[in-house]
PDB file of all heavy atoms in Angstrom:
ATOM      1  N   SER A 370      79.743 107.069  90.529  1.00  0.00           N
ATOM      2  CA  SER A 370      79.766 105.883  89.672  1.00  0.00           C
ATOM      3  C   SER A 370      81.145 105.222  89.742  1.00  0.00           C
ATOM      4  O   SER A 370      82.139 105.849  90.119  1.00  0.00           O
ATOM      5  CB  SER A 370      79.470 106.276  88.222  1.00  0.00           C
ATOM      6  OG  SER A 370      80.565 107.012  87.687  1.00  0.00           O
ATOM      7  N   PHE A 371      81.190 103.945  89.365  1.00  0.00           N
ATOM      8  CA  PHE A 371      82.482 103.258  89.307  1.00  0.00           C
ATOM      9  C   PHE A 371      83.415 103.945  88.325  1.00  0.00           C
ATOM     10  O   PHE A 371      84.594 104.130  88.614  1.00  0.00           O
ATOM     11  CB  PHE A 371      82.314 101.781  88.929  1.00  0.00           C
ATOM     12  CG  PHE A 371      81.889 100.919  90.085  1.00  0.00           C
ATOM     13  CD1 PHE A 371      80.644 100.323  90.082  1.00  0.00           C
ATOM     14  CD2 PHE A 371      82.726 100.699  91.156  1.00  0.00           C
ATOM     15  CE1 PHE A 371      80.245  99.514  91.137  1.00  0.00           C
ATOM     16  CE2 PHE A 371      82.344  99.902  92.227  1.00  0.00           C
ATOM     17  CZ  PHE A 371      81.089  99.306  92.211  1.00  0.00           C
ATOM     18  N   ASP A 372      82.913 104.324  87.140  1.00  0.00           N
ATOM     19  CA  ASP A 372      83.773 104.986  86.152  1.00  0.00           C
ATOM     20  C   ASP A 372      84.390 106.258  86.713  1.00  0.00           C
ATOM     21  O   ASP A 372      85.586 106.519  86.513  1.00  0.00           O
ATOM     22  CB  ASP A 372      82.997 105.294  84.873  1.00  0.00           C
ATOM     23  CG  ASP A 372      82.767 104.060  84.007  1.00  0.00           C
ATOM     24  OD1 ASP A 372      83.330 102.981  84.308  1.00  0.00           O
ATOM     25  OD2 ASP A 372      82.024 104.171  83.019  1.00  0.00           O
ATOM     26  N   ALA A 373      83.597 107.057  87.411  1.00  0.00           N
ATOM     27  CA  ALA A 373      84.112 108.302  88.001  1.00  0.00           C
ATOM     28  C   ALA A 373      85.129 108.001  89.097  1.00  0.00           C
ATOM     29  O   ALA A 373      86.172 108.662  89.199  1.00  0.00           O
ATOM     30  CB  ALA A 373      82.969 109.155  88.532  1.00  0.00           C
ATOM     31  N   ALA A 374      84.844 107.003  89.932  1.00  0.00           N
ATOM     32  CA  ALA A 374      85.765 106.649  91.014  1.00  0.00           C
ATOM     33  C   ALA A 374      87.075 106.107  90.455  1.00  0.00           C
ATOM     34  O   ALA A 374      88.160 106.414  90.961  1.00  0.00           O
ATOM     35  CB  ALA A 374      85.106 105.620  91.934  1.00  0.00           C
ATOM     36  N   ILE A 375      86.987 105.308  89.394  1.00  0.00           N
ATOM     37  CA  ILE A 375      88.197 104.770  88.766  1.00  0.00           C
ATOM     38  C   ILE A 375      89.044 105.896  88.188  1.00  0.00           C
ATOM     39  O   ILE A 375      90.264 105.934  88.394  1.00  0.00           O
ATOM     40  CB  ILE A 375      87.810 103.728  87.696  1.00  0.00           C
ATOM     41  CG1 ILE A 375      87.254 102.473  88.382  1.00  0.00           C
ATOM     42  CG2 ILE A 375      88.989 103.394  86.781  1.00  0.00           C
ATOM     43  CD1 ILE A 375      86.539 101.525  87.455  1.00  0.00           C
ATOM     44  N   ALA A 376      88.417 106.824  87.495  1.00  0.00           N
ATOM     45  CA  ALA A 376      89.166 107.971  86.939  1.00  0.00           C
ATOM     46  C   ALA A 376      89.816 108.788  88.060  1.00  0.00           C
ATOM     47  O   ALA A 376      90.975 109.200  87.946  1.00  0.00           O
ATOM     48  CB  ALA A 376      88.239 108.837  86.098  1.00  0.00           C
ATOM     49  N   ARG A 377      89.078 109.014  89.133  1.00  0.00           N
ATOM     50  CA  ARG A 377      89.593 109.801  90.269  1.00  0.00           C
ATOM     51  C   ARG A 377      90.787 109.106  90.911  1.00  0.00           C
ATOM     52  O   ARG A 377      91.843 109.710  91.134  1.00  0.00           O
ATOM     53  CB  ARG A 377      88.468 110.020  91.290  1.00  0.00           C
ATOM     54  CG  ARG A 377      88.917 110.711  92.575  1.00  0.00           C
ATOM     55  CD  ARG A 377      87.750 110.984  93.523  1.00  0.00           C
ATOM     56  NE  ARG A 377      86.936 109.826  93.859  1.00  0.00           N
ATOM     57  CZ  ARG A 377      87.234 108.933  94.808  1.00  0.00           C
ATOM     58  NH1 ARG A 377      88.354 109.034  95.507  1.00  0.00           N
ATOM     59  NH2 ARG A 377      86.409 107.916  95.057  1.00  0.00           N
ATOM     60  N   ARG A 378      90.658 107.806  91.212  1.00  0.00           N
ATOM     61  CA  ARG A 378      91.739 107.096  91.897  1.00  0.00           C
ATOM     62  C   ARG A 378      92.957 106.879  90.986  1.00  0.00           C
ATOM     63  O   ARG A 378      94.092 106.857  91.476  1.00  0.00           O
ATOM     64  CB  ARG A 378      91.246 105.759  92.449  1.00  0.00           C
ATOM     65  CG  ARG A 378      90.299 105.880  93.629  1.00  0.00           C
ATOM     66  CD  ARG A 378      90.836 106.682  94.792  1.00  0.00           C
ATOM     67  NE  ARG A 378      92.033 106.096  95.368  1.00  0.00           N
ATOM     68  CZ  ARG A 378      92.749 106.649  96.337  1.00  0.00           C
ATOM     69  NH1 ARG A 378      92.392 107.817  96.846  1.00  0.00           N
ATOM     70  NH2 ARG A 378      93.822 106.056  96.798  1.00  0.00           N
ATOM     71  N   ALA A 379      92.750 106.737  89.685  1.00  0.00           N
ATOM     72  CA  ALA A 379      93.889 106.637  88.770  1.00  0.00           C
ATOM     73  C   ALA A 379      94.730 107.901  88.857  1.00  0.00           C
ATOM     74  O   ALA A 379      95.961 107.848  88.867  1.00  0.00           O
ATOM     75  CB  ALA A 379      93.417 106.401  87.341  1.00  0.00           C
ATOM     76  N   GLN A 380      94.061 109.032  88.956  1.00  0.00           N
ATOM     77  CA  GLN A 380      94.765 110.304  89.073  1.00  0.00           C
ATOM     78  C   GLN A 380      95.447 110.432  90.431  1.00  0.00           C
ATOM     79  O   GLN A 380      96.613 110.814  90.525  1.00  0.00           O
ATOM     80  CB  GLN A 380      93.796 111.470  88.838  1.00  0.00           C
ATOM     81  CG  GLN A 380      94.466 112.823  88.777  1.00  0.00           C
ATOM     82  CD  GLN A 380      95.459 112.925  87.631  1.00  0.00           C
ATOM     83  OE1 GLN A 380      95.160 112.594  86.507  1.00  0.00           O
ATOM     84  NE2 GLN A 380      96.658 113.374  87.926  1.00  0.00           N
ATOM     85  N   VAL A 381      94.724 110.108  91.510  1.00  0.00           N
ATOM     86  CA  VAL A 381      95.265 110.250  92.865  1.00  0.00           C
ATOM     87  C   VAL A 381      96.451 109.313  93.105  1.00  0.00           C
ATOM     88  O   VAL A 381      97.477 109.738  93.625  1.00  0.00           O
ATOM     89  CB  VAL A 381      94.158 109.990  93.924  1.00  0.00           C
ATOM     90  CG1 VAL A 381      94.737 109.848  95.327  1.00  0.00           C
ATOM     91  CG2 VAL A 381      93.116 111.094  93.895  1.00  0.00           C
ATOM     92  N   GLU A 382      96.302 108.042  92.742  1.00  0.00           N
ATOM     93  CA  GLU A 382      97.340 107.061  93.049  1.00  0.00           C
ATOM     94  C   GLU A 382      98.483 107.053  92.043  1.00  0.00           C
ATOM     95  O   GLU A 382      99.640 106.900  92.423  1.00  0.00           O
ATOM     96  CB  GLU A 382      96.751 105.650  93.136  1.00  0.00           C
ATOM     97  CG  GLU A 382      95.876 105.449  94.351  1.00  0.00           C
ATOM     98  CD  GLU A 382      95.542 103.989  94.610  1.00  0.00           C
ATOM     99  OE1 GLU A 382      96.380 103.107  94.290  1.00  0.00           O
ATOM    100  OE2 GLU A 382      94.457 103.739  95.144  1.00  0.00           O
ATOM    101  N   LEU A 383      98.141 107.200  90.758  1.00  0.00           N
ATOM    102  CA  LEU A 383      99.139 106.995  89.715  1.00  0.00           C
ATOM    103  C   LEU A 383      99.423 108.223  88.862  1.00  0.00           C
ATOM    104  O   LEU A 383     100.281 108.172  87.985  1.00  0.00           O
ATOM    105  CB  LEU A 383      98.699 105.841  88.810  1.00  0.00           C
ATOM    106  CG  LEU A 383      98.564 104.490  89.512  1.00  0.00           C
ATOM    107  CD1 LEU A 383      97.901 103.476  88.601  1.00  0.00           C
ATOM    108  CD2 LEU A 383      99.921 103.996  89.990  1.00  0.00           C
ATOM    109  N   GLY A 384      98.685 109.308  89.082  1.00  0.00           N
ATOM    110  CA  GLY A 384      98.904 110.522  88.308  1.00  0.00           C
ATOM    111  C   GLY A 384      98.656 110.330  86.826  1.00  0.00           C
ATOM    112  O   GLY A 384      99.341 110.917  85.994  1.00  0.00           O
ATOM    113  N   THR A 385      97.678 109.500  86.482  1.00  0.00           N
ATOM    114  CA  THR A 385      97.416 109.210  85.078  1.00  0.00           C
ATOM    115  C   THR A 385      95.925 109.203  84.790  1.00  0.00           C
ATOM    116  O   THR A 385      95.101 109.330  85.697  1.00  0.00           O
ATOM    117  CB  THR A 385      98.058 107.868  84.654  1.00  0.00           C
ATOM    118  OG1 THR A 385      98.105 107.803  83.235  1.00  0.00           O
ATOM    119  CG2 THR A 385      97.322 106.673  85.223  1.00  0.00           C
ATOM    120  N   ARG A 386      95.611 109.050  83.519  1.00  0.00           N
ATOM    121  CA  ARG A 386      94.218 108.933  83.063  1.00  0.00           C
ATOM    122  C   ARG A 386      93.983 107.522  82.550  1.00  0.00           C
ATOM    123  O   ARG A 386      94.936 106.810  82.208  1.00  0.00           O
ATOM    124  CB  ARG A 386      93.941 109.943  81.943  1.00  0.00           C
ATOM    125  CG  ARG A 386      94.049 111.395  82.377  1.00  0.00           C
ATOM    126  CD  ARG A 386      93.854 112.370  81.217  1.00  0.00           C
ATOM    127  NE  ARG A 386      94.643 112.067  80.036  1.00  0.00           N
ATOM    128  CZ  ARG A 386      95.921 112.397  79.859  1.00  0.00           C
ATOM    129  NH1 ARG A 386      96.564 113.044  80.802  1.00  0.00           N
ATOM    130  NH2 ARG A 386      96.559 112.102  78.746  1.00  0.00           N
ATOM    131  N   VAL A 387      92.712 107.144  82.470  1.00  0.00           N
ATOM    132  CA  VAL A 387      92.344 105.831  81.955  1.00  0.00           C
ATOM    133  C   VAL A 387      91.333 105.985  80.834  1.00  0.00           C
ATOM    134  O   VAL A 387      90.639 106.993  80.727  1.00  0.00           O
ATOM    135  CB  VAL A 387      91.761 104.932  83.070  1.00  0.00           C
ATOM    136  CG1 VAL A 387      92.801 104.663  84.146  1.00  0.00           C
ATOM    137  CG2 VAL A 387      90.509 105.530  83.671  1.00  0.00           C
ATOM    138  N   ALA A 388      91.247 104.953  80.002  1.00  0.00           N
ATOM    139  CA  ALA A 388      90.272 104.915  78.912  1.00  0.00           C
ATOM    140  C   ALA A 388      89.794 103.476  78.759  1.00  0.00           C
ATOM    141  O   ALA A 388      90.410 102.542  79.274  1.00  0.00           O
ATOM    142  CB  ALA A 388      90.917 105.404  77.614  1.00  0.00           C
ATOM    143  N   ASP A 389      88.691 103.312  78.045  1.00  0.00           N
ATOM    144  CA  ASP A 389      88.181 101.982  77.700  1.00  0.00           C
ATOM    145  C   ASP A 389      87.962 101.091  78.920  1.00  0.00           C
ATOM    146  O   ASP A 389      88.345  99.914  78.940  1.00  0.00           O
ATOM    147  CB  ASP A 389      89.115 101.281  76.708  1.00  0.00           C
ATOM    148  CG  ASP A 389      89.375 102.120  75.463  1.00  0.00           C
ATOM    149  OD1 ASP A 389      88.458 102.835  75.031  1.00  0.00           O
ATOM    150  OD2 ASP A 389      90.502 102.066  74.937  1.00  0.00           O
ATOM    151  N   VAL A 390      87.336 101.624  79.960  1.00  0.00           N
ATOM    152  CA  VAL A 390      87.081 100.864  81.188  1.00  0.00           C
ATOM    153  C   VAL A 390      86.042  99.778  80.913  1.00  0.00           C
ATOM    154  O   VAL A 390      84.999 100.041  80.308  1.00  0.00           O
ATOM    155  CB  VAL A 390      86.583 101.797  82.315  1.00  0.00           C
ATOM    156  CG1 VAL A 390      86.246 100.998  83.577  1.00  0.00           C
ATOM    157  CG2 VAL A 390      87.616 102.876  82.624  1.00  0.00           C
ATOM    158  N   ILE A 391      86.359  98.549  81.333  1.00  0.00           N
ATOM    159  CA  ILE A 391      85.395  97.450  81.258  1.00  0.00           C
ATOM    160  C   ILE A 391      85.335  96.757  82.623  1.00  0.00           C
ATOM    161  O   ILE A 391      86.303  96.797  83.391  1.00  0.00           O
ATOM    162  CB  ILE A 391      85.731  96.417  80.164  1.00  0.00           C
ATOM    163  CG1 ILE A 391      87.089  95.759  80.412  1.00  0.00           C
ATOM    164  CG2 ILE A 391      85.669  97.037  78.782  1.00  0.00           C
ATOM    165  CD1 ILE A 391      87.378  94.565  79.506  1.00  0.00           C
ATOM    166  N   THR A 392      84.214  96.152  82.918  1.00  0.00           N
ATOM    167  CA  THR A 392      84.061  95.372  84.140  1.00  0.00           C
ATOM    168  C   THR A 392      84.351  93.920  83.807  1.00  0.00           C
ATOM    169  O   THR A 392      83.771  93.361  82.879  1.00  0.00           O
ATOM    170  CB  THR A 392      82.629  95.503  84.689  1.00  0.00           C
ATOM    171  OG1 THR A 392      82.340  96.892  84.876  1.00  0.00           O
ATOM    172  CG2 THR A 392      82.481  94.774  86.013  1.00  0.00           C
ATOM    173  N   ILE A 393      85.258  93.311  84.579  1.00  0.00           N
ATOM    174  CA  ILE A 393      85.628  91.928  84.278  1.00  0.00           C
ATOM    175  C   ILE A 393      85.143  90.930  85.336  1.00  0.00           C
ATOM    176  O   ILE A 393      84.956  89.764  85.025  1.00  0.00           O
ATOM    177  CB  ILE A 393      87.140  91.775  84.016  1.00  0.00           C
ATOM    178  CG1 ILE A 393      87.980  92.329  85.162  1.00  0.00           C
ATOM    179  CG2 ILE A 393      87.509  92.455  82.707  1.00  0.00           C
ATOM    180  CD1 ILE A 393      89.477  92.115  84.992  1.00  0.00           C
ATOM    181  N   LEU A 394      84.974  91.366  86.566  1.00  0.00           N
ATOM    182  CA  LEU A 394      84.390  90.533  87.624  1.00  0.00           C
ATOM    183  C   LEU A 394      83.367  91.382  88.365  1.00  0.00           C
ATOM    184  O   LEU A 394      83.678  92.018  89.374  1.00  0.00           O
ATOM    185  CB  LEU A 394      85.464  90.028  88.593  1.00  0.00           C
ATOM    186  CG  LEU A 394      86.525  89.065  88.064  1.00  0.00           C
ATOM    187  CD1 LEU A 394      87.582  88.777  89.136  1.00  0.00           C
ATOM    188  CD2 LEU A 394      85.898  87.767  87.568  1.00  0.00           C
ATOM    189  N   PRO A 395      82.129  91.423  87.906  1.00  0.00           N
ATOM    190  CA  PRO A 395      81.142  92.336  88.486  1.00  0.00           C
ATOM    191  C   PRO A 395      80.695  91.987  89.902  1.00  0.00           C
ATOM    192  O   PRO A 395      80.192  92.858  90.619  1.00  0.00           O
ATOM    193  CB  PRO A 395      79.962  92.245  87.523  1.00  0.00           C
ATOM    194  CG  PRO A 395      80.120  90.937  86.832  1.00  0.00           C
ATOM    195  CD  PRO A 395      81.597  90.683  86.766  1.00  0.00           C
ATOM    196  N   SER A 396      80.905  90.748  90.341  1.00  0.00           N
ATOM    197  CA  SER A 396      80.408  90.322  91.654  1.00  0.00           C
ATOM    198  C   SER A 396      81.513  89.915  92.619  1.00  0.00           C
ATOM    199  O   SER A 396      81.246  89.222  93.605  1.00  0.00           O
ATOM    200  CB  SER A 396      79.435  89.147  91.473  1.00  0.00           C
ATOM    201  OG  SER A 396      78.364  89.517  90.652  1.00  0.00           O
ATOM    202  N   PHE A 397      82.736  90.337  92.359  1.00  0.00           N
ATOM    203  CA  PHE A 397      83.844  89.930  93.232  1.00  0.00           C
ATOM    204  C   PHE A 397      83.684  90.536  94.622  1.00  0.00           C
ATOM    205  O   PHE A 397      83.365  91.719  94.774  1.00  0.00           O
ATOM    206  CB  PHE A 397      85.191  90.373  92.638  1.00  0.00           C
ATOM    207  CG  PHE A 397      86.372  89.966  93.478  1.00  0.00           C
ATOM    208  CD1 PHE A 397      86.835  88.664  93.441  1.00  0.00           C
ATOM    209  CD2 PHE A 397      86.988  90.872  94.311  1.00  0.00           C
ATOM    210  CE1 PHE A 397      87.909  88.266  94.220  1.00  0.00           C
ATOM    211  CE2 PHE A 397      88.067  90.490  95.096  1.00  0.00           C
ATOM    212  CZ  PHE A 397      88.528  89.184  95.056  1.00  0.00           C
ATOM    213  N   SER A 398      83.902  89.713  95.635  1.00  0.00           N
ATOM    214  CA  SER A 398      83.972  90.201  97.013  1.00  0.00           C
ATOM    215  C   SER A 398      84.997  89.352  97.759  1.00  0.00           C
ATOM    216  O   SER A 398      85.315  88.231  97.333  1.00  0.00           O
ATOM    217  CB  SER A 398      82.602  90.147  97.698  1.00  0.00           C
ATOM    218  OG  SER A 398      82.167  88.820  97.823  1.00  0.00           O
ATOM    219  N   TYR A 399      85.520  89.878  98.834  1.00  0.00           N
ATOM    220  CA  TYR A 399      86.513  89.142  99.592  1.00  0.00           C
ATOM    221  C   TYR A 399      86.576  89.673 101.020  1.00  0.00           C
ATOM    222  O   TYR A 399      86.142  90.790 101.319  1.00  0.00           O
ATOM    223  CB  TYR A 399      87.896  89.230  98.938  1.00  0.00           C
ATOM    224  CG  TYR A 399      88.551  90.580  99.110  1.00  0.00           C
ATOM    225  CD1 TYR A 399      89.505  90.771 100.107  1.00  0.00           C
ATOM    226  CD2 TYR A 399      88.206  91.660  98.317  1.00  0.00           C
ATOM    227  CE1 TYR A 399      90.098  92.011 100.291  1.00  0.00           C
ATOM    228  CE2 TYR A 399      88.788  92.893  98.483  1.00  0.00           C
ATOM    229  CZ  TYR A 399      89.730  93.072  99.480  1.00  0.00           C
ATOM    230  OH  TYR A 399      90.302  94.303  99.667  1.00  0.00           O
ATOM    231  N   ARG A 400      87.132  88.845 101.870  1.00  0.00           N
ATOM    232  CA  ARG A 400      87.439  89.226 103.243  1.00  0.00           C
ATOM    233  C   ARG A 400      88.830  88.689 103.521  1.00  0.00           C
ATOM    234  O   ARG A 400      89.110  87.508 103.271  1.00  0.00           O
ATOM    235  CB  ARG A 400      86.437  88.630 104.224  1.00  0.00           C
ATOM    236  CG  ARG A 400      86.651  89.090 105.658  1.00  0.00           C
ATOM    237  CD  ARG A 400      85.616  88.454 106.605  1.00  0.00           C
ATOM    238  NE  ARG A 400      85.722  89.012 107.936  1.00  0.00           N
ATOM    239  CZ  ARG A 400      86.649  88.674 108.837  1.00  0.00           C
ATOM    240  NH1 ARG A 400      87.575  87.785 108.538  1.00  0.00           N
ATOM    241  NH2 ARG A 400      86.656  89.235 110.036  1.00  0.00           N
ATOM    242  N   ALA A 401      89.719  89.536 104.009  1.00  0.00           N
ATOM    243  CA  ALA A 401      91.087  89.127 104.301  1.00  0.00           C
ATOM    244  C   ALA A 401      91.583  89.898 105.517  1.00  0.00           C
ATOM    245  O   ALA A 401      91.166  91.036 105.759  1.00  0.00           O
ATOM    246  CB  ALA A 401      91.986  89.410 103.099  1.00  0.00           C
ATOM    247  N   VAL A 402      92.468  89.275 106.279  1.00  0.00           N
ATOM    248  CA  VAL A 402      93.027  89.879 107.490  1.00  0.00           C
ATOM    249  C   VAL A 402      94.528  90.006 107.295  1.00  0.00           C
ATOM    250  O   VAL A 402      95.211  89.017 107.003  1.00  0.00           O
ATOM    251  CB  VAL A 402      92.723  89.017 108.730  1.00  0.00           C
ATOM    252  CG1 VAL A 402      93.249  89.689 109.995  1.00  0.00           C
ATOM    253  CG2 VAL A 402      91.228  88.735 108.852  1.00  0.00           C
ATOM    254  N   ASP A 403      95.061  91.225 107.468  1.00  0.00           N
ATOM    255  CA  ASP A 403      96.504  91.387 107.281  1.00  0.00           C
ATOM    256  C   ASP A 403      97.246  91.078 108.587  1.00  0.00           C
ATOM    257  O   ASP A 403      96.635  90.782 109.619  1.00  0.00           O
ATOM    258  CB  ASP A 403      96.834  92.755 106.673  1.00  0.00           C
ATOM    259  CG  ASP A 403      97.111  93.859 107.662  1.00  0.00           C
ATOM    260  OD1 ASP A 403      96.746  93.749 108.844  1.00  0.00           O
ATOM    261  OD2 ASP A 403      97.707  94.867 107.238  1.00  0.00           O
ATOM    262  N   ALA A 404      98.566  91.131 108.559  1.00  0.00           N
ATOM    263  CA  ALA A 404      99.392  90.729 109.696  1.00  0.00           C
ATOM    264  C   ALA A 404      99.125  91.550 110.951  1.00  0.00           C
ATOM    265  O   ALA A 404      99.315  91.068 112.067  1.00  0.00           O
ATOM    266  CB  ALA A 404     100.868  90.813 109.314  1.00  0.00           C
ATOM    267  N   SER A 405      98.638  92.786 110.779  1.00  0.00           N
ATOM    268  CA  SER A 405      98.352  93.634 111.941  1.00  0.00           C
ATOM    269  C   SER A 405      96.976  93.357 112.540  1.00  0.00           C
ATOM    270  O   SER A 405      96.624  93.921 113.574  1.00  0.00           O
ATOM    271  CB  SER A 405      98.434  95.108 111.536  1.00  0.00           C
ATOM    272  OG  SER A 405      97.327  95.446 110.708  1.00  0.00           O
ATOM    273  N   GLY A 406      96.183  92.506 111.877  1.00  0.00           N
ATOM    274  CA  GLY A 406      94.833  92.206 112.352  1.00  0.00           C
ATOM    275  C   GLY A 406      93.745  93.043 111.701  1.00  0.00           C
ATOM    276  O   GLY A 406      92.557  92.820 111.934  1.00  0.00           O
ATOM    277  N   ILE A 407      94.134  94.002 110.870  1.00  0.00           N
ATOM    278  CA  ILE A 407      93.144  94.828 110.169  1.00  0.00           C
ATOM    279  C   ILE A 407      92.459  93.981 109.104  1.00  0.00           C
ATOM    280  O   ILE A 407      93.100  93.244 108.371  1.00  0.00           O
ATOM    281  CB  ILE A 407      93.801  96.065 109.517  1.00  0.00           C
ATOM    282  CG1 ILE A 407      94.477  96.933 110.579  1.00  0.00           C
ATOM    283  CG2 ILE A 407      92.775  96.878 108.721  1.00  0.00           C
ATOM    284  CD1 ILE A 407      93.536  97.571 111.573  1.00  0.00           C
ATOM    285  N   VAL A 408      91.138  94.126 109.021  1.00  0.00           N
ATOM    286  CA  VAL A 408      90.332  93.339 108.096  1.00  0.00           C
ATOM    287  C   VAL A 408      89.931  94.182 106.895  1.00  0.00           C
ATOM    288  O   VAL A 408      89.516  95.336 107.045  1.00  0.00           O
ATOM    289  CB  VAL A 408      89.051  92.831 108.808  1.00  0.00           C
ATOM    290  CG1 VAL A 408      88.136  92.106 107.826  1.00  0.00           C
ATOM    291  CG2 VAL A 408      89.408  91.940 109.984  1.00  0.00           C
ATOM    292  N   GLU A 409      90.072  93.600 105.715  1.00  0.00           N
ATOM    293  CA  GLU A 409      89.470  94.149 104.497  1.00  0.00           C
ATOM    294  C   GLU A 409      88.253  93.279 104.216  1.00  0.00           C
ATOM    295  O   GLU A 409      88.367  92.043 104.167  1.00  0.00           O
ATOM    296  CB  GLU A 409      90.436  94.075 103.312  1.00  0.00           C
ATOM    297  CG  GLU A 409      91.564  95.068 103.352  1.00  0.00           C
ATOM    298  CD  GLU A 409      91.182  96.457 102.869  1.00  0.00           C
ATOM    299  OE1 GLU A 409      89.977  96.728 102.680  1.00  0.00           O
ATOM    300  OE2 GLU A 409      92.098  97.267 102.693  1.00  0.00           O
TER     301      GLU A 409
END
Side-chain angles (χ1 to χ4, degrees):
S370 70
F371 280 114
D372 284 352
I375 290 166
R377 175 177 54 83
R378 289 305 298 175
Q380 187 62 49
V381 168
E382 290 193 31
L383 298 170
T385 196
R386 296 176 311 278
V387 297
D389 306 325
V390 177
I391 61 170
T392 304
I393 54 176
L394 295 175
S396 301
F397 181 78
S398 65
Y399 74 99
R400 185 180 187 282
V402 183
D403 91 342
S405 71
I407 300 295
V408 175
E409 286 279 11

